[in-house]
């Protein structure tokens, strides 16, 4: 089955700086890679996703890059703000596996004002 | 679009009791997924439905767990003879049918076993 590794597990940045979270996956059949933000006690919230036919996708201060050859993808947050503080999860899925999501272990991001 | 709703939000029960959780997906979503999340970890897949058909169950889902989606709308997840290790957040997500459709999560049911 799929295995997703996520690094770092914690990330502390100064407000205004950039944050980068990296994930690797094992199943070459995976072709959909969403990122979720989860605040304490709340639901995972989809913030951006990328499909395997695209190398990069951007939405305001958030961008995701995908390298299918190397089987890794990354989340980039620019101009971080205190409200970006949360746990971020990457995930991977494939239609052959019913599109079920396999999640990474999460990255706790703290943005210091 | 009222989002995915789950009930109850919290459940505290004694070991050995049975519990049942409910999930109401987004109305036009054919697919419904159950995940379990323990503290400090990412959600883990348990099972999923396409309409009323349960298409896959994880090895995590022991015989004490059963899920249904009788009319292809809401779903229930039942745990029989609960154990300490069942304590977790149980999350439900739904999506449209087809490949690579975004999954939207509910707020979850937090289960605590005394």
């Amino acid at each position: 089955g799929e295995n997703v590794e996520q690094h770092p597990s914690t990330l502390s940045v100064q407000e205004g700086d950039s944050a980068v979270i990296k994930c690797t996956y094992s199943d070459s059949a995976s072709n959909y890679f969403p990122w979720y933000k989860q605040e304490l006690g709340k639901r995972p919230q989809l913030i951006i996703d990328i499909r395997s036919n695209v190398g990069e996708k951007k939405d305001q201060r958030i961008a995701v890059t995908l390298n299918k050859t190397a089987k890794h993808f990354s989340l980039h947050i620019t101009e971080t703000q205190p409200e970006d503080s949360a746990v971020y999860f990457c995930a991977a899925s494939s239609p052959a596996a019913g599109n079920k999501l396999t999640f990474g272990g999460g990255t706790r991001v703290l943005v210091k004002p | 679009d009222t989002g995915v709703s789950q009930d109850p939000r919290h459940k505290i029960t004694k070991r050995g009791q049975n519990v049942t959780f409910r999930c109401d997906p987004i109305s036009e979503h054919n697919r419904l997924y159950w995940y379990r999340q323990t503290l400090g970890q990412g959600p883990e897949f348990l099972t999923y439905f396409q309409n009323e058909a349960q298409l896959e169950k994880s090895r995590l889902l022991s015989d004490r767990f059963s899920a249904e989606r009788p009319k292809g709308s809401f779903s229930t997840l039942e745990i029989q003879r609960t154990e300490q290790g069942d304590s977790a957040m149980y999350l439900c997500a739904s999506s449209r049918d087809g490949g690579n459709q975004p999954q939207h999560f509910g707020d979850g049911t937090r289960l605590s076993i005394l």
Side-chain angles (χ1 to χ4, degrees), chain A:
Chain A
E2 176 65 276
N3 182 53
V4 177
E5 301 281 343
Q6 183 171 346
H7 299 280
S9 57
T10 59
L11 181 59
S12 182
V13 297
Q14 206 66 39
E15 183 178 358
D17 288 350
S18 295
V20 180
I21 304 170
K22 298 182 179 182
C23 290
T24 60
Y25 62 99
S26 61
D27 187 355
S28 56
S30 289
N31 61 359
Y32 175 65
F33 307 92
W35 287 86
Y36 287 86
K37 175 183 179 182
Q38 189 174 32
E39 297 176 63
L40 192 62
K42 296 193 175 180
R43 68 180 71 186
Q45 179 186 3
L46 179 68
I47 56 172
I48 195 168
D49 57 12
I50 191 166
R51 293 165 176 80
S52 61
N53 58 342
V54 175
E56 183 174 357
K57 182 177 178 181
K58 191 172 181 179
D59 182 4
Q60 298 182 10
R61 297 185 297 108
I62 293 174
V64 58
T65 58
L66 171 65
N67 183 328
K68 282 222 74 177
T69 303
K71 296 200 192 79
H72 66 70
F73 55 113
S74 301
L75 178 71
H76 304 252
I77 307 173
T78 58
E79 300 171 22
T80 53
Q81 300 168 4
E83 52 264 38
D84 294 328
S85 296
V87 179
Y88 291 80
F89 292 98
C90 62
S93 73
S94 72
N99 298 312
K100 65 177 182 283
L101 296 173
T102 301
F103 284 85
T107 297
R108 182 172 300 279
V109 174
L110 176 63
V111 179
K112 295 182 286 186

